[in-house]
Amino acid sequence: MTDSTMHIEPFFDSVTGTVSYVLADVASRVAAVIDPVQDFEPRSGTLSSESANKLIGYVRERGWTVQWILETHAHADHLSAAQHIRHHLGGKVAIGAHIREVQAAFRKIYHFERSFLPDGSQFDHLVEDGESLPLGRLALTAMHVPGHTPADMAYRVKDAVFVGDTLFMPDVGTARADFPGGDASTLYNSIHRILVLPLQTRIFVCHDYPPQGREPAWETSVQAQRAHNIHVRDGIDEAAFVQMRTARDETLAMPTLILPSVQVNIRAGKLPPAADDGRTYVQLPINAFGKSKAMPQGVWQEAHTPR
């Protein structure tokens, strides 16, 4: 996926269905890493870096310098390898500025230590809507696309846009909108910020959950999404989308790794502070999301509002 200036290399993690990317300005030998994955085995509590190390090896082989480690949002399905990448390759860890809202919500769920402040300071840089991020001779334009979470950010560069969970491949559809701070109507309008881009704009998704018989894929286009996306193709209006999304979300179980992953990812990929015994623990708050799905937003707010 290379033109004379820009190279895009995907890395697919089959365990979580996540696609990480290396985006490089080839001439300047400068790169960004987008949504890197830290491997986590929940049954044993084992962390490893096999997925991230493949990406690190790829960058090192080409002699590129990492300038940015970009998160599209605080993921609920995998732990971020941002700090592992930063340790080995350098770069600034960045996420959308609205991560502060996500931190404030989940801080209560996890009953974080008093020193944890929901101010985004755990990240090296908080990205604002419309901000331009330099990458060698390239420039990435940030697009705030909330709805899945309040902090979702897409990154557009030349004819490509990295959309995180906002859109999936056309035969999979769109992100859920039932996490704290999520909203189906907001998601619909965010998606259409992307779908008004030129038809040939390449869309790179953060996840693929392919239907049976299809190999994993991660590149599509505005034209393909508008023609074929099962949730938001042309002709599906906001009311129909909200009705579909709300009904569908009520049937979805929580992601397998949501409880361990979010508490790490809102810390910019840092683990919680070690306990008195020197060991690091992740928390599993009981009934934070009900038995199988997120609580309705009003119930969640009532349950977690200080009294």
Side-chain angles (χ1 to χ4, degrees), residues 15-18 40 42 73-79 106 110 148-149 165 168 175-180 207 209 249 251-262 265 284 289-294:
V15 176
T16 63
T18 305
F40 180 68
H73 63 295
H75 304 273
D77 38 38
H78 69 269
L79 277 68
F106 280 96
Y110 292 111
H148 174 54
T149 79
D165 285 14
F168 298 138
R176 64 196 299 164
D178 60 337
F179 293 155
H207 293 285
Y209 311 105
D249 288 350
T251 71
L252 299 178
M254 282 290 97
T256 301
L257 296 181
I258 184 171
L259 291 176
S261 65
V262 172
N265 295 342
L284 297 178
F289 293 102
K291 292 183 178 179
S292 63
K293 58 190 176 74

Side-chain angles (χ1 to χ4, degrees), residues 18 22 51 70 76 83 89 100 142 145 186 197 224:
T18 305
V22 173
S51 296
L70 302 175
Q83 296 303 318
L89 297 177
R100 291 173 288 215
V145 287
T186 301
L197 295 174

Side-chain angles (χ1 to χ4, degrees), residues 265-278:
N265 295 342
I266 62 175
R267 298 176 186 267
K270 303 179 182 79
L271 294 174
D276 293 342
D277 62 1

Side-chain angles (χ1 to χ4, degrees), residues 238-258:
E238 182 176 343
F241 175 81
V242 170
Q243 182 179 30
M244 176 282 301
R245 190 70 266 170
T246 302
R248 179 170 173 77
D249 288 350
E250 289 179 352
T251 71
L252 299 178
M254 282 290 97
T256 301
L257 296 181
I258 184 171

Side-chain angles (χ1 to χ4, degrees), residues 28-40:
S28 299
R29 307 181 72 80
V30 175
V33 174
I34 303 173
D35 292 330
V37 173
Q38 185 85 342
D39 304 308
F40 180 68

Side-chain angles (χ1 to χ4, degrees), residues 273-281:
D276 293 342
D277 62 1
R279 181 171 293 172
T280 300
Y281 296 86

Side-chain angles (χ1 to χ4, degrees), residues 32-285:
V33 174
I34 303 173
D35 292 330
V37 173
Q38 185 85 342
D39 304 308
F40 180 68
E41 167 43 58
R43 289 169 294 190
S44 63
T46 302
L47 276 174
S48 62
S49 303
E50 181 178 353
S51 296
N53 287 340
K54 292 177 183 177
L55 190 154
I56 290 170
Y58 184 86
V59 171
R60 282 179 169 167
E61 286 174 5
R62 284 148 186 81
W64 294 339
T65 299
V66 170
Q67 185 170 355
W68 295 103
I69 303 162
L70 302 175
E71 300 283 8
T72 54
H73 63 295
H75 304 273
D77 38 38
H78 69 269
L79 277 68
S80 170
Q83 296 303 318
H84 184 73
I85 299 293
R86 185 173 181 266
H87 175 75
H88 288 280
L89 297 177
K92 292 183 178 180
V93 180
I95 198 168
H98 288 267
I99 188 62
R100 291 173 288 215
E101 298 171 32
V102 180
Q103 290 176 324
F106 280 96
R107 178 193 191 193
K108 299 175 184 178
I109 289 178
Y110 292 111
H111 194 60
F112 277 168
E113 67 279 3
R114 291 182 179 274
S115 60
F116 179 91
L117 299 178
D119 60 3
S121 60
Q122 300 79 6
F123 295 82
D124 298 314
H125 184 74
L126 298 182
V127 185
E128 299 286 352
D129 183 40
E131 183 176 349
S132 180
L133 302 176
L135 186 71
R137 294 185 294 183
L138 301 174
L140 287 75
T141 300
M143 300 173 63
H144 185 215
V145 287
H148 174 54
T149 79
D152 282 65
M153 193 70 73
Y155 300 99
R156 185 184 180 196
V157 54
K158 297 183 72 173
D159 69 337
V161 58
F162 300 86
V163 297
D165 285 14
T166 303
L167 280 165
F168 298 138
M169 296 300 290
D171 57 355
V172 179
T174 64
R176 64 196 299 164
D178 60 337
F179 293 155
D183 180 79
S185 179
T186 301
L187 178 61
Y188 180 87
N189 287 286
S190 291
I191 288 169
H192 280 79
R193 284 197 70 188
I194 297 167
L195 296 186
V196 297
L197 295 174
L199 292 177
Q200 299 309 313
T201 301
R202 294 181 292 161
I203 290 175
F204 292 91
V205 302
C206 182
H207 293 285
D208 190 35
Y209 311 105
Q212 188 172 4
R214 175 170 72 71
E215 292 296 314
W218 37 80
E219 181 180 348
T220 176
S221 68
V222 168
Q223 185 174 33
Q225 294 282 4
R226 291 183 59 170
H228 303 297
N229 189 287
I230 60 174
H231 295 163
V232 289
R233 64 185 176 273
D234 287 354
I236 297 177
D237 64 16
E238 182 176 343
F241 175 81
V242 170
Q243 182 179 30
M244 176 282 301
R245 190 70 266 170
T246 302
R248 179 170 173 77
D249 288 350
E250 289 179 352
T251 71
L252 299 178
M254 282 290 97
T256 301
L257 296 181
I258 184 171
L259 291 176
S261 65
V262 172
Q263 63 190 286
V264 171
N265 295 342
I266 62 175
R267 298 176 186 267
K270 303 179 182 79
L271 294 174
D276 293 342
D277 62 1
R279 181 171 293 172
T280 300
Y281 296 86
V282 294
Q283 300 185 54
L284 297 178

